[in-house]
Amino acid sequence: MYDCVILGGGPAGLVAGIYLARLNRRVIIADGGRSRASLIPRSFNHPAFPDGIPGRDLLTRMHAQIQKLGVEHIANCADRVEQVGGGFQCTVAERIVDSRAVICATGLVDILPPWRDAPELVRKGNLRICPICDGYEINGAAVVVIGHTRHALKEAEFLLSFTDDVTLATLGAELQDISAAEVREPLRLATSPLLSHGPTADDRLSLELAEGRRLEPVAVYSALGYRPRSSLAASVGVKLDEEGRIPTDAHQRTNVERFYAAGDVVTGLNQLGVAMAHGEIAAVAVHNLLTGAAP
């Protein structure tokens, strides 16, 4: 019987594991190695790294830390979670794991353009997914935001904090929940399908549109949305918000007793620092619960 099983080994899950281990809790992490953080080419807004740090390097450092603390790790995602008595039973790669509590840190998956090389372009920094993370690095550059919804329009408007050269490109998709009239200057709208794309110098892309127009070199953001990995949580009765993410209270508790959530799968801001803070809060809350000191 483990004190806690952590579902997911991104920044939130790994930090939760570190904290629980240092609170002398028996903890196990089930992780399939698909953390969104692994796609980050280099984060420049993560504290204490003035020259930035690649997402994979950050995860490697945290993995080394949990190994040093003796945290058990299963290199697979959980297949099933069930409530059993006052705790939980998780099935991970045909192994049954019983625990007194669960921290769900399963994250989310960004919806990228339907390009075979899209994930690799994200890793190299040619295709961007977070203007909060790296908008500062494109100050003054020409920017293209790929999307056709209000979410994409809001992202394009947000990027006006860094440049006045922003184009919302639907790549042939019809606008949803917005009209062309809402794309106001200095924003521009391009609705033509895409003929080709490719990297240019540095971290920019070239986009060739069917209308005969070529946009290059441009900093390209994908604003096609995301899919939260919240199905395991939902399977035990955890309530989800309209986006499929998990609302929690100030202690990362969900509506299901002893089931906590942390990181990008939780409603709120998708940032490394926020995910890590969630992991810390959830770990301490689990420890206090198990000692009978929970608020």
Side-chain angles (χ1 to χ4, degrees), residues 53-75:
I53 181 169
R56 287 183 176 180
D57 289 358
L58 189 65
L59 292 172
T60 297
R61 287 172 180 246
M62 287 192 283
H63 273 288
Q65 196 167 356
I66 65 166
Q67 288 171 7
K68 189 173 182 179
L69 289 165
V71 175
E72 193 172 349
H73 175 241
I74 305 177

Side-chain angles (χ1 to χ4, degrees), residues 136-159:
Y136 183 83
E137 276 66 54
I138 57 95
N139 269 333
V143 173
V144 171
V145 176
I146 296 174
H148 53 278
T149 63
R150 187 163 301 280
H151 166 74
L153 175 59
K154 292 296 183 184
E155 189 156 309
E157 292 171 342
F158 181 87
L159 280 158

Side-chain angles (χ1 to χ4, degrees), residues 6-273:
I6 298 171
L7 307 176
L14 292 175
V15 167
I18 291 167
Y19 268 62
L20 282 167
R22 290 177 54 81
L23 291 166
N24 291 324
R25 290 296 176 184
R26 190 173 183 226
V27 58
I28 184 169
I29 297 176
D31 172 45
R34 299 181 296 173
S35 171
R36 186 173 182 246
S38 66
L39 294 174
I40 300 173
R42 185 172 292 269
S43 174
F44 287 97
N45 65 352
H46 189 58
F49 294 96
D51 297 318
I53 181 169
R56 287 183 176 180
D57 289 358
L58 189 65
L59 292 172
T60 297
R61 287 172 180 246
M62 287 192 283
H63 273 288
Q65 196 167 356
I66 65 166
Q67 288 171 7
K68 189 173 182 179
L69 289 165
V71 175
E72 193 172 349
H73 175 241
I74 305 177
N76 285 95
C77 296
D79 302 306
R80 186 172 59 184
V81 180
E82 296 177 287
Q83 287 183 288
V84 177
F88 297 89
Q89 191 171 84
C90 301
T91 305
V92 187
E94 300 184 352
R95 176 178 169 181
I96 303 299
V97 178
D98 293 302
S99 69
R100 300 166 70 189
V102 170
I103 295 177
C104 180
T106 44
L108 53 80
V109 179
D110 292 284
I111 300 172
L112 301 177
W115 308 338
R116 182 179 301 176
D117 59 346
E120 188 60 24
L121 290 175
V122 174
R123 289 191 184 95
K124 291 180 177 179
N126 299 101
L127 181 61
R128 299 161 182 261
I129 56 178
C130 177
I132 295 174
C133 304
D134 54 25
Y136 183 83
E137 276 66 54
I138 57 95
N139 269 333
V143 173
V144 171
V145 176
I146 296 174
H148 53 278
T149 63
R150 187 163 301 280
H151 166 74
L153 175 59
K154 292 296 183 184
E155 189 156 309
E157 292 171 342
F158 181 87
L159 280 158
L160 292 174
S161 301
F162 306 102
T163 178
D164 59 2
D165 188 349
V166 181
T167 299
L168 178 63
T170 69
L171 304 188
E174 292 186 8
L175 292 173
Q176 296 179 8
D177 67 27
I178 57 170
S179 66
E182 293 179 78
V183 185
R184 301 184 180 92
E185 292 185 350
L187 294 178
R188 291 182 292 276
L189 178 64
T191 59
S192 179
L194 182 72
L195 291 182
S196 66
H197 71 278
T200 62
D202 300 322
D203 55 0
R204 304 294 192 256
L205 281 176
S206 172
L207 302 179
E208 183 183 3
L209 303 181
E211 64 187 21
R213 181 181 175 192
R214 183 181 291 275
L215 303 170
E216 65 175 7
V218 287
V220 178
Y221 283 85
S222 175
L224 297 172
Y226 47 74
R227 290 187 293 269
R229 295 188 178 116
S230 54
S231 58
L232 282 176
S235 70
V236 292
V238 173
K239 293 180 180 178
L240 309 180
D241 68 10
E242 63 277 3
E243 295 181 315
R245 297 170 77 181
I246 302 174
T248 65
D249 68 6
H251 299 279
Q252 304 307 129
R253 292 178 295 208
T254 69
N255 62 294
V256 173
E257 185 73 19
R258 298 186 175 222
F259 196 102
Y260 298 73
D264 290 349
V265 75
V266 172
T267 304
L269 188 63
N270 302 332
Q271 292 289 293
L272 289 172

